[in-house]
Amino acid sequence: MTISNKSALELSKHTLAKVNKINIALPLTLISSLLIVGCTTDSRSTLTSKAPLSTVQSQPQSSSPVAYTYGVRPFYLINDMDEGPLKEELQACRGQLPSKTDFSIAHRGAPLQLPEHTYDSYVASAQMGAGILECDVAFTNDGELVCRHAQNDLHTTTNILATPLAKQCTVPPILDAKGKLTNADNIECRTSDISAAQFKTLTGKMDAANKKATSLSEYMNATAPWRTDLYSQNGQVMTLKEHIALARKLGMKHTPELKAPAVTMPFNGYHLDDYRQQLIDTYKAADVPASDVFAQSFNIEDLDYWIKNEPAYGANAVYLIDDSNETADDKTFNKNDATTWKHSLANIKARGINTIAPALWSLVTTDGKGNMQPSEYAKQAKANGLKIITWSIERSGPLTDGGDWYYSGLGDDINNDGDMMNYIDVLAQDVGVQGIFSDWPATVSYYANCKGLK
């Protein structure tokens, strides 16, 4: 049976009508947390690309004014920096007015403190000055594209286990006769287990799960101590169509990521190429110009498809890179050893790929004397004419112990929270990245505003 999109389309008409009426003011509790210094509004048109005037004028919606704010975090990080010229420069910008910058890319919204891929999280990222908004794209069982970091993460990012829909999960929770949860380590709920209408009944939560839990409440209430559940009360999940409409209303550009299917493809007659094409078609149907869309994937064959079949969108497509997809056979990925890389940077460029997005740690190394510098991977990317963006700042907890995977190989160069700003500076000034994904975009926005990065 061919996958049907009918119910999803009917749902879209209803939900998009609601998006058009959205008031983008945040709840007062969140505003009080974010506001600390300076505030500007931006009522410019959403479409800031160099598209022909006729294209811009054809857009059915314009952006609404956004009140930009940094909140307290950038100042906390700057105050925590070691003394030096960069700290002095950033401190001197304390009186600047916050503004939008495409250098600041919202990673799933603002998931350091708000549930990822939810309305509140997206709006918060816009108010922090992020110019580009991400939707990780997955599909439901009736063919609607929705925003989830993975097709199979509903059990950790939503309240599905507390709803009757838990019974439809690929691996539903199992409770014994005494009500004890017995399979916490292998529960799995996929977007493809449910319809778009059912997906919209869910509430997003902070991404977390206790895999040793013996009750559903223990399993679900596992937010890391360096995050918070203070802003998890609403958790409005969104389809890709709603996401596009909201990003436009917020005056942001778009970076959708095609997520690897968790199901065997084709799925009910839905082929991988159908999935690839549907992502692009959704933006085309919404009249979003290709110059404002930066489609992403860890699968290089997805980019090959877009470059061949949708060259206007393929020109801006972004190849996501880490050791999981770019390690040569029988090797361990080493950012300073080209023999360990699956594809040379020259090969990637020759395929027609113009932009890569390696993980943070693969772009920066250390001289062993406490100084961060570009890795060989970064140098070769630049030498081959590739544009570089990177992910993701503030994805992990405090850096007093050197951080985690995102700071691999940097040793004592990372030992306090303030080193986050040094890291950003090396990426921007020495590596030459054109944008940084962040779980708390205000940090990157502050740096970019101070440095005049648009």
Side-chain angles (χ1 to χ4, degrees):
M1 181 180 72
T2 302
I3 193 165
S4 171
N5 210 21
K6 182 178 180 181
S7 62
L9 289 173
E10 292 173 347
L11 172 70
S12 179
K13 293 178 183 177
H14 172 69
T15 52
L16 286 178
K18 291 178 64 179
V19 169
N20 287 338
K21 299 178 181 179
I22 282 175
N23 180 346
I24 62 174
L26 285 174
L28 290 177
T29 53
L30 184 52
I31 292 175
S32 64
S33 171
L34 292 176
L35 291 175
I36 186 65
V37 63
C39 180
T40 58
T41 60
D42 187 347
S43 59
R44 293 172 291 177
S45 170
T46 299
L47 301 173
T48 58
S49 68
K50 297 180 180 179
L53 182 61
S54 59
T55 301
V56 175
Q57 290 177 333
S58 70
Q59 304 309 314
Q61 300 172 355
S62 60
S63 60
S64 298
V66 175
Y68 297 117
T69 178
Y70 292 129
V72 300
R73 184 158 178 80
F75 303 98
Y76 161 76
L77 294 174
I78 294 166
N79 289 338
D80 193 51
M81 294 176 67
D82 298 333
E83 298 301 323
L86 179 61
K87 181 174 183 176
E88 293 175 1
E89 181 181 3
L90 294 176
Q91 285 180 326
C93 290
R94 283 177 295 188
Q96 68 183 0
L97 291 176
S99 61
K100 181 176 66 175
T101 168
D102 288 352
F103 189 80
S104 180
I105 308 172
H107 183 238
R108 316 182 202 176
L112 183 65
Q113 293 195 23
L114 293 94
E116 63 186 46
H117 292 312
T118 61
Y119 167 80
D120 283 345
S121 192
Y122 290 151
V123 171
S125 72
Q127 293 194 313
M128 292 184 211
I132 303 174
L133 184 62
E134 180 185 43
C135 169
D136 292 315
V137 178
F139 56 84
T140 59
N141 66 13
D142 56 351
E144 181 77 354
L145 300 182
V146 298
C147 297
R148 284 294 94 194
H149 178 246
Q151 188 182 30
N152 57 344
D153 74 356
L154 292 183
H155 49 291
T156 68
T157 66
T158 75
N159 69 334
I160 192 170
L161 298 182
T163 77
L165 292 174
K167 297 177 182 179
Q168 296 179 211
C169 291
T170 296
V171 182
I174 299 174
L175 304 177
D176 65 16
K178 296 182 179 180
K180 179 180 178 180
L181 181 66
T182 62
N183 68 331
D185 59 341
N186 64 354
I187 295 171
E188 182 180 2
C189 302
R190 302 173 177 174
T191 58
S192 54
D193 290 333
I194 60 177
S195 68
Q198 290 171 328
F199 172 79
K200 286 294 296 179
T201 68
L202 300 177
T203 299
K205 73 178 190 67
M206 296 300 285
D207 184 12
N210 179 357
K211 297 301 182 70
K212 297 181 180 180
T214 57
S215 70
L216 286 177
S217 61
E218 287 179 353
Y219 183 92
M220 296 177 64
N221 299 318
T223 302
W226 43 271
R227 289 181 171 165
T228 180
D229 285 312
L230 187 60
Y231 309 120
S232 299
Q233 314 316 309
N234 300 320
Q236 179 182 340
V237 298
M238 304 192 78
T239 66
L240 177 59
K241 292 172 184 175
E242 292 176 299
H243 174 275
I244 292 171
L246 178 60
R248 172 175 286 162
K249 206 166 188 67
L250 294 171
M252 304 174 81
K253 295 178 183 177
H254 314 258
T255 184
E257 180 187 338
L258 195 75
K259 304 304 295 190
V263 295
T264 301
M265 302 293 278
F267 175 71
N268 292 343
Y270 185 61
H271 292 260
L272 187 54
D273 280 354
D274 298 330
Y275 183 31
R276 292 163 170 157
Q277 188 62 48
Q278 186 180 359
L279 182 146
I280 301 299
D281 286 347
T282 305
Y283 283 91
K284 291 169 72 174
D287 288 331
V288 180
S291 55
D292 278 0
V293 181
F294 307 91
Q296 318 169 74
S297 179
F298 279 99
N299 181 359
I300 201 167
E301 293 179 355
D302 292 341
L303 278 85
D304 291 340
Y305 176 90
W306 292 326
I307 291 168
K308 177 182 178 181
N309 296 282
E310 292 288 348
Y313 289 85
N316 271 352
V318 179
Y319 182 38
L320 296 163
I321 293 170
D322 69 9
D323 51 347
S324 69
N325 66 330
E326 273 299 321
T327 301
D329 293 341
D330 302 319
K331 299 283 187 177
T332 298
F333 189 92
N334 183 330
K335 56 190 169 186
N336 294 313
D337 182 357
T339 66
T340 67
W341 310 340
K342 184 175 182 179
H343 298 99
S344 70
L345 278 305
N347 173 271
I348 291 173
K349 179 65 175 179
R351 299 173 86 114
I353 295 171
N354 296 316
T355 307
I356 59 172
L360 298 167
W361 60 266
S362 64
L363 295 172
V364 180
T365 188
T366 178
D367 64 0
K369 301 177 182 179
N371 301 306
M372 290 181 279
Q373 59 189 22
S375 67
E376 183 63 23
Y377 202 85
K379 292 176 182 177
Q380 290 202 24
K382 193 171 183 178
N384 282 280
L386 288 161
K387 298 176 184 178
I388 308 171
I389 60 176
T390 190
W391 52 277
S392 296
I393 285 289
E394 298 180 278
R395 184 65 192 157
S396 56
L399 304 185
T400 53
D401 296 323
D404 59 9
W405 181 85
Y406 292 90
Y407 310 91
S408 301
L410 295 181
D412 292 338
D413 290 1
I414 297 288
N415 53 41
N416 60 284
D417 284 352
D419 286 332
M420 189 84 67
M421 304 307 294
N422 296 325
Y423 202 13
I424 292 172
D425 189 60
V426 172
L427 288 164
Q429 305 303 324
D430 299 331
V431 175
V433 303
Q434 298 193 359
I436 298 177
F437 282 90
S438 176
D439 279 27
W440 200 244
T443 299
V444 177
S445 298
Y446 182 98
Y447 174 90
N449 290 167
C450 186
K451 290 286 190 175
L453 303 175
K454 301 300 183 180

